[in-house]
């Protein structure tokens, strides 16, 4: 419908503004993008899959925020099914499929089927079980989910309440939920979609000498059908459904499930590593599922890489919008009518988004490092040497905690930096934020798993203290021995500098490493020598894990810069990545300056110059901000943001969405309180709304 | 529908657990509740209004997260209208009405009518205009909104693009939107509800010596009709509608509005303080709208009081749930089968929620202080003495920024402390979080308004430096003069203590005050003496405002404790509020210890004992946590939380909602990708979903 608004333009042209920003930096975006995103042909794959998906009407996103949660599941299932069909039509491989999921950007109701369900069958089913199940799984003839977490138990798997009791007479397991809190809970794809489930339950076997009593053999995994293949109704003696709305994950049917003495045959127990003998039920363990740790590292590596893209997405929106948005003129301007400043030129905006921009690169290089390490250690593990696993597991736990916290907090920091429009639905951050806020909790709660990191560091420090002359078997041991040899002199004087501006990059790395080692030594002393209760130390141990993980990020970023010096990246890109390294490192140092004061002899005068150094670095980085986010190559389809689109048509797109594409504007209401009528002329007393309450 | 789940109970009884918590503390909850919530009969009013509202089916909340955003507006309007009818039926006064809005807990489509719209008419309309409009407003014969903010301009009112050009011939104003960015934007109640609007526009009058040119006289306010009173369609030459979904505010129709040379009579301009003469159009200002600042203080006082209840709500949920939730046994426990600990007993959970519990009281006493101050200064102002206003305005700006940041961040901290179930919809924090996240931005962006605070502090410091012997006219002047007299000796030695445990409460206050003064002095030196550009100082000035505001919170909390000593509150409540004071203060000190090191001579050794002092304080406070949140008296109706309800039936309520009250579970789906059918047996190829895209 044409009207007088059609010809209106914004007071400032966003497209021209972004073009001017791009013209102002000599970074070669394509080259940097290829440097960041070439592994597994990420960029080419993105282009290929995007071309297909963005043309399908089912995958248009701009109305998603107008749908109800039940509608979002309907849509999610429709999309999941469509992706399967498109995949076959386009001959996509699994990596293409993952790219489609990434671009579609919502938790698919099939998600668990192709992740934990198939992985568990692959890892824990016997050969005979795999031969039976795998073809059905790969064909999607059955849809699986993974039922471990319960209403009363999340992280503590040992505390699970669901039981699987062996009945030697019938040769069956009796799967049962003795309490309400035994209800399986949160399990994705289970609420409405799945036909089958991996169920983790406490294995109870008749006690040898007393067949009326039972002994627990800990949590074991069972594969069972949960719904009828024809009418998709729950099997008798199973209650299963969706748990209802959540912060995010609107398209996912996270479910609950209870068992009322549900009987399954012996073959239901996955038996690659454990088996119950037919007779009285003797339990046998076989081999060691250590390969699981290897794949855990792989998953954690993916979490870091995912966190960098999530953060890059939020930063892309914030940098582009803040480069276009103008507000207030410089307080020191001579004229009252001085032009308004771009908000990205305010240090109060820079301090919120530019360190996060630097963080995307910090996450990237550590993610790359983990990826290489995984490939290397996989072959070591396959030779039967599980040596590197403990170190890897610890580092990946600490990094999972730190990186997902940085990304989750970063999204909200970017949103607030964008002021009012950041609160609007077209910021593109509403869904991202709601979904990503699960990440600090899932796959190991970000506070809880740091205890594992700290335990490893204390153990390693004890080893190094007690065996000063043994050769170091891991980077952490090497770091700790270096520290122990020098600790009486505190930090070597050569690291120090009168101001933060004059700290060499290599010394920044050394200072972060020294702090991590010193905090580990303090924790070792407190725990091992002074026998302080673990619980009383928990806050300190969380901080230790964070310091250790920050050291990993800083170290890998710096190593990557050294490699870059020999790469083909043209100037000024390597120098600008160097600025990002300093900004990330000094910003991180400033955030935790008390812990650097405590553990290093870095002078207070040096730390107190950090704010000025950070300001200088941000000034130097700022002209390149738009091109740096461009290099992350997040397509508009994924950004789904009026504020952050590549062409900078912020206001045109905000207005178009409101004026032409908002379904609420197609309804005329009756605002008179005297009438119960809601929609004008309908006579409806709000009944269609009331009916849903 | 009865099934085997009906008789199941959770493994641990939440009701009994909370009862044991309550039995373990001697706090008299009713007494403390009366102490906190007696002003304006808050508690009695809550009971009265709750009894009515909670019985109305329209106000049931448990399905809200299943509604789409357009449905939420339908519901919001139905509720807003119902409240009007109930109000008249029950003979509620305005305070009862506000209570109903608080308990209903969503932005009403009428919200702006009874806030900014009526307030602006009261304050800025002439007597004749008021006589005409006020009866229509109070009767809700018209519904008003307030159109100031534009697509391109939020905080900077001077930059507004909408123009109101005086036409001396027709004696009309021509209201016009010259650019797309001139579109009014965000204005609540405007999108679908309002019939009238206050419009803020740049007043353009013909230039005296050149009638073809126009001179701007800055932003002025106009009251105009925007929709037809019969068919509720926008008037010709107006485009108006809802801007679409946002983070929160689902029930509110935040709108956009553009004018195409829309003509209004001269009487549209609110003319209590400004008028245009009939002839060529001479502009006259009358009097000074200083009373506006007074009511701004009142609004800011309300924001602090609101922030404390919002935070209390999140903390109530977190404290109750974490007292019931058990996970893992103590790592140092002798037996492998030691019982699982309540998660609130982990210091890593305490450090996240107990300082926030203490913060609710800190906010409370400063809110009370502001309320008294408003009452006092109102009479001063009515006598024509605007002296105290600048101080009040500055303090209220700094506190608005700090308190809304503390509350907004606090909600998310509480949510994450609750692990998986915190991410669930029945945490009760989804809507609270989504709505409250607007607060750091609206009514003055939390980063931006701190510049005003800093400017006031620098100006006041300059005044004190240049006039050392003048009498102090405000608490800030008094503080600064005290500092200036002593600054060569740094902080007086008597304040200091060897450990944080041994700092006296009074000295905690002095240390916070000293830091605020010292940072003000540094800012004064840098700006006034060294002439550093304002922009370069912005980050430092933000930190200054925060330090100054923290000092206000600590000072008022301590003053209140002194009063409490003479109150009738029974032991141990005053002592426990004393613990809250220390916890809030020392936690705040620890968060910013570098700035205390920089500005005071408090020894590093003292600051380094803060973590242990905080741990001790949390241990002492923890047994009283449940009763302290009980005292805030947030009703279950408002909490709308399975995790936080008073009776502790966490798991029963979570399960009931999922199993019996989840509409998605009433639909059976077809999960087979080969079929386009979404709902099993419907044959519908997802068309009803697609249709909404």
């Amino acid at each position: 419908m044409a009207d007088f608004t059609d010809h209106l333009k914004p007071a400032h042209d966003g497209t021209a503004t972004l073009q001017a920003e791009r013209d102002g930096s000599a970074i070669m975006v394509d080259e940097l993008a290829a440097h960041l995103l070439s592994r597994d042909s990420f960029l080419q794959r993105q282009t290929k899959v995007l071309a297909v998906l963005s043309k399908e009407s089912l995958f248009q996103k701009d109305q998603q925020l107008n749908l109800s949660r039940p509608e979002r599941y309907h849509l999610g299932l429709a999309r999941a099914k469509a992706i399967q069909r498109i995949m076959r039509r386009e001959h996509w491989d699994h990596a293409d499929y993952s790219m489609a999921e990434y671009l579609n950007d919502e938790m698919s109701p099939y998600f668990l089927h192709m992740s934990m369900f198939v992985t568990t069958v692959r890892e824990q089913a016997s050969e005979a079980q795999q031969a039976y199940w795998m073809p059905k799984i790969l064909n999607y003839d059955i849809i699986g989910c993974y039922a471990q977490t319960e209403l009363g138990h999340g992280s503590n798997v040992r505390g699970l309440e669901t039981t699987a009791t062996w009945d030697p007479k019938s040769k069956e397991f009796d799967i049962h939920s003795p309490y309400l809190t035994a209800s399986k809970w949160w399990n994705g794809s289970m609420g409405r979609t799945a036909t089958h489930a991996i169920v983790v339950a406490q294995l109870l076997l008749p006690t040898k000498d007393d067949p009326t009593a039972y002994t627990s053999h800990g949590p074991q995994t069972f594969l069972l059908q949960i719904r009828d293949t024809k009418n998709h109704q729950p099997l008798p003696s199973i209650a299963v459904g969706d748990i209802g709305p959540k912060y995010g994950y609107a398209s996912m049917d996270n479910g609950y499930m209870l068992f009322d003495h549900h009987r399954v045959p012996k073959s239901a127990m996955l038996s690659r590593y454990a088996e119950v003998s037919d007779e009285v039920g003797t339990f046998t363990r076989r081999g060691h599922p250590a390969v699981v740790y290897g794949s855990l590292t792989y998953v954690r590596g993916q979490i870091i890489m995912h966190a960098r893209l999530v953060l890059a997405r939020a930063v892309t929106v914030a940098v582009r919008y803040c480069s276009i948005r103008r507000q207030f003129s410089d307080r020191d301007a001579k004229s009252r009518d001085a032009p308004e400043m771009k908000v990205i030129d305010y240090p109060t905006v820079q301090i919120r988004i530019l360190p996060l921009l630097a963080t995307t690169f910090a996450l990237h290089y550590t993610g790359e490092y983990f990826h290489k390490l995984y490939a290397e250690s996989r072959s070591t593990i396959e030779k039967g040497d599980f040596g590197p696993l403990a170190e890897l597991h610890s580092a990946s736990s600490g990094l999972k905690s730190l990186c997902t916290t940085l990304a989750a907090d970063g999204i909200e920091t970017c949103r607030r930096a964008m002021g009012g429009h950041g609160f609007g639905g077209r910021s593109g951050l509403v869904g991202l934020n709601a979904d990503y806020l699960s990440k600090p909790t899932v796959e190991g709660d970000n506070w809880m798993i740091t205890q594992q990191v700290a335990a490893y560091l204390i153990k390693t420090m004890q080893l190094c203290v007690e065996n000063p002359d043994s050769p170091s078997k891991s980077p952490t041991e090497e770091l700790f021995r270096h520290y122990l040899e020098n600790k009486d002199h505190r930090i070597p004087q050569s690291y120090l500098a009168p101001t933060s501006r004059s700290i060499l990059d290599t010394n920044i790395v050394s200072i972060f490493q020294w702090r991590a080692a010193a905090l580990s030594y303090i924790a070792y002393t407190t725990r091992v020598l002074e026998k302080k209760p673990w619980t009383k130390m928990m806050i300190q141990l969380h901080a230790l894990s964070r310091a250790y993980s920050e050291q990993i990020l800083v170290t890998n970023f710096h190593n990557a810069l050294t490699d870059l010096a020999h790469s083909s990246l043209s100037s000024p890109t390597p120098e600008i990545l160097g600025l990002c390294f300093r900004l990330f490192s000094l910003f991180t140092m400033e955030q935790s300056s008390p812990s650097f004061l405590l553990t290093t002899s870095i002078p207070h005068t040096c730390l107190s110059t950090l704010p000025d150094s950070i300001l200088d670095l941000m000034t130097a980085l700022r002209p390149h901000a738009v091109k740096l986010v461009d290099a992350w190559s997040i397509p508009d389809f994924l950004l789904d943001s009026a504020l952050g689109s590549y062409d900078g048509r912020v206001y045109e797109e905000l207005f178009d969405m409101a004026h032409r594409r908002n379904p609420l504007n197609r309804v005329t209401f009756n605002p008179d309180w005297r009438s119960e009528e809601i929609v004008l002329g309908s006579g409806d007393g709000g009944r269609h709304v009331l009916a849903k309450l």
Side-chain angles (χ1 to χ4, degrees), chain A:
Chain A
M1 195 189 65
D3 63 32
F4 72 87
T5 64
D6 291 349
H7 69 278
L8 286 174
K9 290 191 169 35
H12 297 277
D13 181 345
T15 306
T17 303
L18 283 192
Q19 191 55 54
E21 288 285 341
R22 288 171 179 132
D23 293 344
S25 162
I27 289 179
M28 293 177 68
V29 170
D30 290 348
E31 192 190 71
L32 178 55
H35 165 73
L36 295 169
L37 303 165
S38 61
R39 194 155 54 69
D40 295 334
S41 312
F42 184 94
L43 271 181
Q44 294 88 321
R45 199 183 304 279
Q46 176 169 285
T47 306
K48 178 178 81 176
V49 173
L50 181 64
V52 175
L53 224 54
S54 61
K55 275 192 214 99
E56 301 271 339
S57 60
L58 193 59
F59 292 90
Q60 301 314 307
K61 300 177 185 178
D62 67 6
Q63 289 301 322
Q64 277 180 195
L65 291 180
N66 280 314
L67 300 182
S68 69
R69 194 264 152 168
E71 287 169 339
R72 285 297 304 277
Y73 172 75
H74 283 72
L75 179 63
L77 182 59
R79 285 174 173 171
K81 291 162 70 155
I83 288 179
Q84 290 298 320
R85 294 190 294 267
I86 295 170
M87 208 180 144
R88 285 160 177 85
R89 187 187 78 203
E90 303 283 335
H91 307 289
W92 283 349
D93 61 17
H94 187 74
D96 296 327
Y97 171 78
S98 300
M99 177 59 77
E101 296 279 282
Y102 166 69
L103 293 172
N104 182 38
D105 191 35
E106 64 178 13
M107 289 298 285
S108 159
Y110 286 168
F111 181 74
L112 274 292
H113 179 70
M114 277 313 275
S115 53
M116 282 301 282
F117 184 73
V118 70
T119 306
T120 306
V121 174
R122 274 209 188 102
E123 286 175 354
Q124 301 192 33
S126 67
E127 281 184 26
Q129 287 171 327
Q130 295 205 35
Y132 180 79
W133 289 114
M134 286 305 289
K136 295 183 206 299
I137 294 172
L138 296 178
N139 250 340
Y140 283 65
D141 292 333
I142 64 171
I143 307 287
C145 61
Y146 183 81
Q148 176 174 302
T149 308
E150 294 176 355
L151 187 51
H153 284 89
S155 302
N156 186 11
V157 179
R158 273 193 58 220
L160 293 178
E161 296 171 13
T162 305
T163 54
T165 308
W166 175 246
D167 178 350
K169 282 192 200 112
S170 67
K171 315 267 186 257
E172 288 172 324
F173 293 103
D174 178 306
I175 313 273
H176 189 59
S177 312
Y179 299 103
L180 195 64
T181 34
S183 175
K184 294 297 170 185
W185 200 268
W186 273 120
N187 326 98
S189 310
M190 190 169 84
R192 301 276 80 198
T193 317
T195 60
H196 288 66
I198 300 284
V199 174
V200 183
Q202 302 285 356
L203 176 64
L204 295 181
L205 300 180
T207 304
K208 272 232 167 108
D209 307 323
D210 175 9
T212 63
Y214 289 87
T215 307
S216 172
H217 293 263
Q220 295 294 326
T221 47
F222 300 82
L223 196 170
L224 31 129
Q225 183 174 346
I226 61 172
R227 285 188 174 92
D228 185 278
T229 41
K230 290 262 164 31
N231 65 21
H232 206 55
Q233 291 299 315
L235 298 188
S237 62
I238 291 181
V240 58
D242 176 272
I243 61 168
K246 301 137 289 186
Y247 257 66
Y249 285 21
S251 54
M252 171 59 95
D253 55 322
N254 296 90
Y256 66 88
M257 182 159 59
L258 286 146
F259 303 95
D260 183 25
H261 294 293
H262 180 72
R263 294 260 161 172
V264 296
K266 190 191 158 202
S267 60
M269 191 173 114
L270 297 186
S271 57
R272 179 163 174 188
Y273 296 111
E275 202 169 21
V276 172
S277 71
D278 262 4
E279 300 76 41
V280 281
T282 309
F283 183 66
T284 325
R285 279 185 205 278
R286 269 200 296 267
H288 181 61
V291 66
V292 174
Y293 287 94
S295 62
L296 195 64
T297 307
Y298 182 71
V299 169
R300 296 270 167 85
Q302 284 184 312
I303 288 176
I304 303 168
M305 290 305 239
H306 179 240
R308 92 197 197 286
L309 284 181
V310 163
L311 188 57
R313 192 166 144 191
V315 174
T316 297
V317 173
V319 163
R320 288 182 183 157
Y321 172 66
C322 292
S323 300
I324 292 167
R325 181 71 170 181
R326 291 158 202 258
Q327 204 79 216
F328 291 105
S329 42
D330 188 340
R331 200 177 171 115
D332 291 329
K334 297 278 180 309
S335 152
R336 239 184 88 108
D337 297 317
E340 291 189 304
M341 282 170 65
K342 294 176 177 182
V343 301
I344 202 174
D345 287 321
Y346 290 108
T348 39
V349 170
Q350 290 178 0
I351 195 69
R352 290 183 277 171
I353 60 181
L354 296 186
L356 290 175
L357 174 57
T359 303
T360 60
F361 299 101
L363 297 182
H364 172 75
Y365 291 115
T366 286
E368 285 290 345
Y369 161 78
F370 256 80
H371 198 267
K372 270 184 220 137
L373 211 59
Y374 172 73
E376 286 164 22
S377 46
R378 207 189 151 98
S379 64
T380 315
I381 291 164
E382 277 165 13
K383 285 174 204 146
D385 176 4
F386 300 127
L389 274 179
E391 167 96 2
L392 257 181
H393 176 68
S394 160
S396 68
S397 300
L399 284 166
K400 185 272 169 185
S401 173
L402 176 58
C403 298
T404 56
T405 298
L406 288 172
D409 293 347
I411 296 168
E412 176 62 7
T413 301
C414 286
R415 192 192 66 76
R416 287 194 206 170
M418 294 190 288
H421 291 313
F423 190 72
R426 294 305 292 157
S427 65
L429 301 187
V430 178
L432 181 68
N433 187 57
D435 284 353
Y436 200 77
L437 282 183
S438 63
K439 289 291 184 289
T441 302
V442 299
E443 314 271 1
D445 177 89
N446 278 3
W447 278 74
M448 212 202 55
I449 54 172
T450 57
Q451 312 293 312
Q452 300 172 18
V453 183
Y456 172 77
L457 295 178
I458 291 173
K459 202 173 129 192
T460 305
M461 183 58 82
Q462 183 172 11
L463 183 89
C464 294
V465 169
E466 294 173 1
N467 306 278
D469 301 323
S470 302
S472 294
K473 282 187 210 134
S474 68
T476 303
E477 277 188 45
E478 205 174 303
L479 178 63
F480 286 2
R481 285 182 211 281
H482 172 73
Y483 169 80
L484 290 170
E485 284 158 19
N486 291 279
K487 82 177 158 60
D488 295 335
H489 318 293
R490 314 248 359 228
I491 199 168
Q493 286 302 313
S494 59
Y495 293 176
L496 306 176
T499 71
S500 54
R501 263 170 259 218
S502 54
I503 313 179
L504 294 175
D505 285 359
T506 47
N507 290 341
I508 289 178
V509 175
S510 302
I511 289 165
F512 272 87
Q513 292 180 339
W514 186 271
R515 176 179 68 136
L519 290 174
S520 300
Y521 186 76
I522 293 170
Y524 153 75
T525 308
T526 314
R527 176 66 180 169
V528 178
L529 305 184
E530 296 163 13
K531 314 272 183 211
K532 191 165 181 178
W534 184 264
T535 302
K536 288 272 173 212
M537 292 179 66
M538 279 183 163
I539 298 170
Q540 169 191 351
L541 298 176
H542 182 67
L544 165 61
S545 171
R546 183 161 180 142
Y548 175 73
S549 308
E550 285 171 348
Q551 167 266 138
I552 297 176
L553 288 174
V554 168
T555 302
N556 282 309
F557 202 160
H558 186 258
N559 289 347
L561 287 184
T562 313
D563 295 347
L564 276 188
H566 312 291
S567 79
S568 59
L569 271 188
S570 0
S571 180
T573 306
E575 295 77 15
I576 287 161
L577 291 173
L579 291 177
C580 289
F581 165 76
R582 286 187 77 86
L583 179 57
F584 173 74
S585 305
L586 298 187
F587 181 79
T588 304
M589 198 182 280
E590 214 252 328
Q591 297 291 98
S592 314
S593 58
S595 105
F596 286 90
L597 271 182
L598 177 71
T599 55
T600 69
S601 49
I602 190 166
H604 188 265
T605 46
C606 173
L607 287 178
S608 67
T609 62
L610 284 170
D612 281 340
S613 299
I614 291 167
L615 213 54
D616 291 346
L617 287 164
M618 293 196 302
T619 305
L621 195 58
R622 186 251 167 276
H624 306 286
V626 168
K627 276 198 163 172
L628 285 172
V629 300
D630 285 352
W632 281 115
S633 312
I634 319 274
D636 284 350
F637 180 79
L638 182 57
L639 287 174
D640 189 29
S641 166
L643 306 190
S645 64
Y646 185 84
D647 65 7
R649 288 169 44 87
V650 170
Y651 300 115
E652 295 91 324
E653 176 63 24
L654 282 174
F655 184 72
D656 188 57
M657 191 69 200
H659 191 50
R660 298 182 188 96
R661 289 184 277 155
N662 179 357
L664 195 62
N665 288 335
R666 282 173 222 133
V667 183
T668 304
F669 294 89
N670 178 347
D672 184 356
W673 66 270
R674 295 166 189 88
S675 163
E676 287 203 13
E677 182 186 71
I678 303 302
V679 174
L680 193 76
S682 70
D684 180 322
R687 277 185 298 278
H688 71 289
V689 177
L690 264 170
K692 297 199 175 186
L693 291 183

